[in-house]
Amino acid sequence: KKKGLSVEEKREKMQELFHETKDVFTMKQLESICSKKKGIVSQTVKDIAQGLVSDDLVKSDKIGTGVYYWSFPSESLIVRENKIKTLDDQIAELEAKISATEKSIEDALVGKEETPEREEALKAQAEVQEQNLKLKS
């Protein structure tokens, strides 16, 4: 017995349909063609199409009383390239933040090297804080 297609497989098959035909479809046409050519159950076509539209992988527009759907291979490439550029910009921004944070950590550690004088000072500070707590209580 054959298992049904996953949502991701349906999305890929619907995109394939748009790119193979390079045509514009109404929802009724999509439901018919997807069920015949791609094996997508017609009841799920609308949800899959809406998901692709919301992810900017398929375009839709209302013209008159009908809503038309299309996606051309060049548009998908442009969307992917824009997404890659956005992610590359985010990576560069985060790398800059990381290096700035590492620099501030290095700056904060200057003068705090472990020396005998520093250890004595820290012990004295701890003793004074302890005496302070005793006096307060």
Side-chain angles (χ1 to χ4, degrees), residues 80-117:
R80 286 187 183 104
E81 286 174 347
N82 288 341
K83 182 73 171 169
I84 288 170
K85 185 184 180 331
T86 302
L87 293 172
D88 284 343
D89 291 347
Q90 288 176 349
I91 288 170
E93 188 178 307
L94 292 171
E95 285 173 344
K97 282 183 179 180
I98 289 170
S99 63
T101 303
E102 287 172 345
K103 174 87 172 93
S104 67
I105 289 171
E106 287 175 22
D107 292 346
L109 291 176
V110 171
K112 295 183 181 173
E113 296 82 12
E114 291 299 320
T115 62
E117 295 86 17

Short mmCIF file of all heavy atoms in Angstrom, two decimals, residues 80-117:
data_model
loop_
_atom_site.label_atom_id
_atom_site.label_comp_id
_atom_site.label_asym_id
_atom_site.label_seq_id
_atom_site.Cartn_x
_atom_site.Cartn_y
_atom_site.Cartn_z
N ARG A 80 15.55 32.90 -3.71
CA ARG A 80 16.59 32.16 -2.98
C ARG A 80 17.84 33.00 -2.80
O ARG A 80 18.47 33.00 -1.75
CB ARG A 80 16.92 30.85 -3.70
CG ARG A 80 15.83 29.82 -3.52
CD ARG A 80 16.26 28.47 -4.09
NE ARG A 80 15.19 27.50 -3.97
CZ ARG A 80 14.42 27.10 -4.96
NH1 ARG A 80 14.62 27.58 -6.17
NH2 ARG A 80 13.47 26.22 -4.75
N GLU A 81 18.26 33.72 -3.87
CA GLU A 81 19.45 34.56 -3.77
C GLU A 81 19.25 35.67 -2.73
O GLU A 81 20.18 35.98 -1.98
CB GLU A 81 19.78 35.17 -5.15
CG GLU A 81 20.39 34.17 -6.10
CD GLU A 81 20.59 34.73 -7.51
OE1 GLU A 81 20.04 35.80 -7.83
OE2 GLU A 81 21.30 34.07 -8.29
N ASN A 82 18.06 36.26 -2.69
CA ASN A 82 17.78 37.29 -1.69
C ASN A 82 17.84 36.71 -0.28
O ASN A 82 18.35 37.35 0.64
CB ASN A 82 16.42 37.95 -1.94
CG ASN A 82 16.43 38.84 -3.16
OD1 ASN A 82 17.48 39.26 -3.62
ND2 ASN A 82 15.26 39.13 -3.69
N LYS A 83 17.30 35.50 -0.10
CA LYS A 83 17.32 34.85 1.21
C LYS A 83 18.77 34.57 1.63
O LYS A 83 19.14 34.82 2.78
CB LYS A 83 16.51 33.54 1.14
CG LYS A 83 16.42 32.80 2.43
CD LYS A 83 15.50 33.49 3.39
CE LYS A 83 15.26 32.63 4.60
NZ LYS A 83 14.58 33.33 5.66
N ILE A 84 19.58 34.09 0.69
CA ILE A 84 21.00 33.82 0.98
C ILE A 84 21.71 35.11 1.37
O ILE A 84 22.48 35.14 2.33
CB ILE A 84 21.68 33.15 -0.23
CG1 ILE A 84 21.17 31.71 -0.37
CG2 ILE A 84 23.20 33.17 -0.09
CD1 ILE A 84 21.59 31.04 -1.67
N LYS A 85 21.45 36.20 0.64
CA LYS A 85 22.08 37.48 0.96
C LYS A 85 21.68 37.96 2.35
O LYS A 85 22.52 38.40 3.13
CB LYS A 85 21.72 38.53 -0.09
CG LYS A 85 22.45 39.85 0.14
CD LYS A 85 22.02 40.90 -0.84
CE LYS A 85 22.70 42.23 -0.67
NZ LYS A 85 23.15 42.59 0.65
N THR A 86 20.39 37.83 2.67
CA THR A 86 19.92 38.23 4.00
C THR A 86 20.61 37.42 5.09
O THR A 86 21.08 37.98 6.10
CB THR A 86 18.39 38.03 4.10
OG1 THR A 86 17.76 38.79 3.08
CG2 THR A 86 17.85 38.45 5.45
N LEU A 87 20.70 36.12 4.89
CA LEU A 87 21.35 35.26 5.88
C LEU A 87 22.84 35.56 5.99
O LEU A 87 23.40 35.57 7.09
CB LEU A 87 21.11 33.78 5.55
CG LEU A 87 19.67 33.32 5.69
CD1 LEU A 87 19.51 31.90 5.16
CD2 LEU A 87 19.18 33.41 7.12
N ASP A 88 23.51 35.83 4.86
CA ASP A 88 24.93 36.19 4.89
C ASP A 88 25.13 37.49 5.66
O ASP A 88 26.09 37.62 6.43
CB ASP A 88 25.48 36.33 3.47
CG ASP A 88 25.72 34.99 2.78
OD1 ASP A 88 25.77 33.96 3.50
OD2 ASP A 88 25.85 34.98 1.54
N ASP A 89 24.23 38.46 5.46
CA ASP A 89 24.32 39.72 6.20
C ASP A 89 24.16 39.48 7.70
O ASP A 89 24.88 40.07 8.51
CB ASP A 89 23.25 40.71 5.72
CG ASP A 89 23.52 41.23 4.31
OD1 ASP A 89 24.65 41.02 3.80
OD2 ASP A 89 22.60 41.81 3.71
N GLN A 90 23.21 38.61 8.07
CA GLN A 90 23.01 38.29 9.48
C GLN A 90 24.24 37.61 10.07
O GLN A 90 24.64 37.90 11.19
CB GLN A 90 21.79 37.39 9.67
CG GLN A 90 20.48 38.10 9.44
CD GLN A 90 19.28 37.16 9.54
OE1 GLN A 90 19.42 35.95 9.58
NE2 GLN A 90 18.09 37.74 9.56
N ILE A 91 24.86 36.71 9.30
CA ILE A 91 26.07 36.03 9.76
C ILE A 91 27.18 37.05 10.01
O ILE A 91 27.85 37.01 11.05
CB ILE A 91 26.52 34.96 8.74
CG1 ILE A 91 25.56 33.77 8.78
CG2 ILE A 91 27.95 34.49 9.02
CD1 ILE A 91 25.77 32.78 7.65
N ALA A 92 27.38 37.96 9.06
CA ALA A 92 28.42 38.98 9.20
C ALA A 92 28.17 39.85 10.43
O ALA A 92 29.10 40.17 11.19
CB ALA A 92 28.49 39.84 7.94
N GLU A 93 26.91 40.22 10.64
CA GLU A 93 26.54 41.05 11.79
C GLU A 93 26.83 40.31 13.10
O GLU A 93 27.40 40.89 14.04
CB GLU A 93 25.05 41.38 11.68
CG GLU A 93 24.54 42.39 12.68
CD GLU A 93 23.06 42.69 12.46
OE1 GLU A 93 22.69 43.03 11.32
OE2 GLU A 93 22.30 42.56 13.43
N LEU A 94 26.46 39.03 13.16
CA LEU A 94 26.70 38.25 14.38
C LEU A 94 28.19 38.01 14.61
O LEU A 94 28.65 38.05 15.77
CB LEU A 94 25.95 36.92 14.31
CG LEU A 94 24.42 37.04 14.36
CD1 LEU A 94 23.77 35.70 14.07
CD2 LEU A 94 23.97 37.59 15.70
N GLU A 95 28.95 37.79 13.54
CA GLU A 95 30.40 37.62 13.69
C GLU A 95 31.03 38.91 14.23
O GLU A 95 31.95 38.85 15.05
CB GLU A 95 31.04 37.20 12.37
CG GLU A 95 30.76 35.75 12.02
CD GLU A 95 31.25 35.36 10.63
OE1 GLU A 95 31.53 36.25 9.79
OE2 GLU A 95 31.33 34.14 10.38
N ALA A 96 30.55 40.06 13.77
CA ALA A 96 31.06 41.34 14.26
C ALA A 96 30.74 41.50 15.75
O ALA A 96 31.58 41.95 16.53
CB ALA A 96 30.46 42.50 13.46
N LYS A 97 29.52 41.10 16.16
CA LYS A 97 29.14 41.17 17.58
C LYS A 97 30.03 40.25 18.41
O LYS A 97 30.44 40.61 19.52
CB LYS A 97 27.68 40.77 17.77
CG LYS A 97 26.69 41.84 17.40
CD LYS A 97 25.28 41.37 17.70
CE LYS A 97 24.25 42.43 17.35
NZ LYS A 97 22.89 41.98 17.63
N ILE A 98 30.30 39.05 17.89
CA ILE A 98 31.15 38.10 18.62
C ILE A 98 32.54 38.67 18.82
O ILE A 98 33.09 38.63 19.93
CB ILE A 98 31.22 36.74 17.87
CG1 ILE A 98 29.88 36.02 17.98
CG2 ILE A 98 32.34 35.86 18.41
CD1 ILE A 98 29.76 34.79 17.09
N SER A 99 33.13 39.22 17.76
CA SER A 99 34.49 39.76 17.90
C SER A 99 34.52 40.97 18.82
O SER A 99 35.46 41.14 19.61
CB SER A 99 35.10 40.08 16.54
OG SER A 99 34.36 41.08 15.89
N ALA A 100 33.47 41.80 18.79
CA ALA A 100 33.41 42.95 19.70
C ALA A 100 33.29 42.48 21.15
O ALA A 100 33.93 43.04 22.06
CB ALA A 100 32.22 43.84 19.33
N THR A 101 32.50 41.43 21.38
CA THR A 101 32.35 40.89 22.73
C THR A 101 33.66 40.28 23.21
O THR A 101 34.06 40.49 24.38
CB THR A 101 31.23 39.82 22.75
OG1 THR A 101 30.03 40.42 22.27
CG2 THR A 101 31.02 39.28 24.15
N GLU A 102 34.35 39.54 22.32
CA GLU A 102 35.64 38.96 22.70
C GLU A 102 36.63 40.05 23.04
O GLU A 102 37.41 39.91 23.99
CB GLU A 102 36.18 38.07 21.57
CG GLU A 102 35.42 36.76 21.43
CD GLU A 102 35.81 35.96 20.20
OE1 GLU A 102 36.47 36.52 19.28
OE2 GLU A 102 35.46 34.77 20.15
N LYS A 103 36.63 41.15 22.28
CA LYS A 103 37.53 42.28 22.54
C LYS A 103 37.21 42.91 23.89
O LYS A 103 38.12 43.22 24.66
CB LYS A 103 37.40 43.32 21.42
CG LYS A 103 38.16 44.59 21.63
CD LYS A 103 39.58 44.48 21.12
CE LYS A 103 40.30 45.80 21.16
NZ LYS A 103 41.05 46.03 22.37
N SER A 104 35.92 43.07 24.21
CA SER A 104 35.57 43.68 25.49
C SER A 104 35.94 42.76 26.65
O SER A 104 36.30 43.24 27.73
CB SER A 104 34.07 44.05 25.53
OG SER A 104 33.29 42.89 25.52
N ILE A 105 35.87 41.45 26.43
CA ILE A 105 36.30 40.51 27.48
C ILE A 105 37.80 40.65 27.71
O ILE A 105 38.26 40.70 28.86
CB ILE A 105 35.93 39.06 27.09
CG1 ILE A 105 34.42 38.86 27.18
CG2 ILE A 105 36.65 38.05 28.00
CD1 ILE A 105 33.93 37.53 26.62
N GLU A 106 38.57 40.72 26.61
CA GLU A 106 40.02 40.90 26.75
C GLU A 106 40.34 42.19 27.48
O GLU A 106 41.20 42.23 28.36
CB GLU A 106 40.69 40.91 25.36
CG GLU A 106 40.75 39.56 24.69
CD GLU A 106 41.30 39.65 23.28
OE1 GLU A 106 42.00 40.64 22.95
OE2 GLU A 106 41.03 38.73 22.50
N ASP A 107 39.63 43.28 27.11
CA ASP A 107 39.86 44.57 27.77
C ASP A 107 39.51 44.50 29.25
O ASP A 107 40.19 45.11 30.08
CB ASP A 107 39.02 45.67 27.09
CG ASP A 107 39.50 45.97 25.67
OD1 ASP A 107 40.61 45.53 25.31
OD2 ASP A 107 38.74 46.64 24.93
N ALA A 108 38.45 43.77 29.58
CA ALA A 108 38.03 43.67 30.98
C ALA A 108 39.04 42.88 31.81
O ALA A 108 39.18 43.10 33.01
CB ALA A 108 36.66 43.02 31.07
N LEU A 109 39.75 41.96 31.18
CA LEU A 109 40.71 41.13 31.91
C LEU A 109 42.06 41.83 32.13
O LEU A 109 42.85 41.36 32.95
CB LEU A 109 40.94 39.80 31.17
CG LEU A 109 39.75 38.85 31.18
CD1 LEU A 109 40.04 37.63 30.33
CD2 LEU A 109 39.37 38.44 32.59
N VAL A 110 42.30 42.95 31.42
CA VAL A 110 43.56 43.68 31.61
C VAL A 110 43.61 44.20 33.05
O VAL A 110 42.67 44.80 33.55
CB VAL A 110 43.68 44.84 30.60
CG1 VAL A 110 44.85 45.73 30.92
CG2 VAL A 110 43.78 44.30 29.19
N GLY A 111 44.72 43.95 33.71
CA GLY A 111 44.88 44.41 35.10
C GLY A 111 44.29 43.45 36.11
O GLY A 111 44.31 43.72 37.31
N LYS A 112 43.75 42.34 35.66
CA LYS A 112 43.15 41.38 36.59
C LYS A 112 43.90 40.05 36.54
O LYS A 112 43.35 39.01 36.84
CB LYS A 112 41.67 41.16 36.25
CG LYS A 112 40.83 42.40 36.46
CD LYS A 112 39.38 42.15 36.19
CE LYS A 112 38.60 43.45 36.39
NZ LYS A 112 37.23 43.32 35.99
N GLU A 113 45.16 40.11 36.12
CA GLU A 113 45.96 38.91 36.08
C GLU A 113 46.17 38.41 37.50
O GLU A 113 46.23 39.19 38.45
CB GLU A 113 47.33 39.17 35.42
CG GLU A 113 47.26 39.58 33.95
CD GLU A 113 46.97 41.06 33.73
OE1 GLU A 113 47.05 41.84 34.70
OE2 GLU A 113 46.65 41.42 32.60
N GLU A 114 46.31 37.10 37.66
CA GLU A 114 46.53 36.52 38.99
C GLU A 114 47.96 36.82 39.46
O GLU A 114 48.93 36.33 38.91
CB GLU A 114 46.29 35.00 38.94
CG GLU A 114 44.84 34.62 38.72
CD GLU A 114 43.91 35.11 39.81
OE1 GLU A 114 44.29 35.06 41.00
OE2 GLU A 114 42.80 35.56 39.48
N THR A 115 48.06 37.68 40.46
CA THR A 115 49.35 38.00 41.08
C THR A 115 49.19 37.86 42.59
O THR A 115 48.06 37.90 43.11
CB THR A 115 49.77 39.45 40.74
OG1 THR A 115 48.80 40.35 41.27
CG2 THR A 115 49.91 39.67 39.24
N PRO A 116 50.30 37.71 43.31
CA PRO A 116 50.19 37.62 44.78
C PRO A 116 49.51 38.85 45.41
O PRO A 116 48.70 38.72 46.33
CB PRO A 116 51.64 37.50 45.24
CG PRO A 116 52.40 36.99 44.05
CD PRO A 116 51.66 37.49 42.85
N GLU A 117 49.80 40.04 44.86
CA GLU A 117 49.17 41.27 45.40
C GLU A 117 47.66 41.23 45.21
O GLU A 117 46.89 41.61 46.09
CB GLU A 117 49.75 42.52 44.72
CG GLU A 117 51.22 42.77 44.97
CD GLU A 117 52.12 42.02 43.99
OE1 GLU A 117 51.64 41.56 42.92
OE2 GLU A 117 53.31 41.86 44.31
#
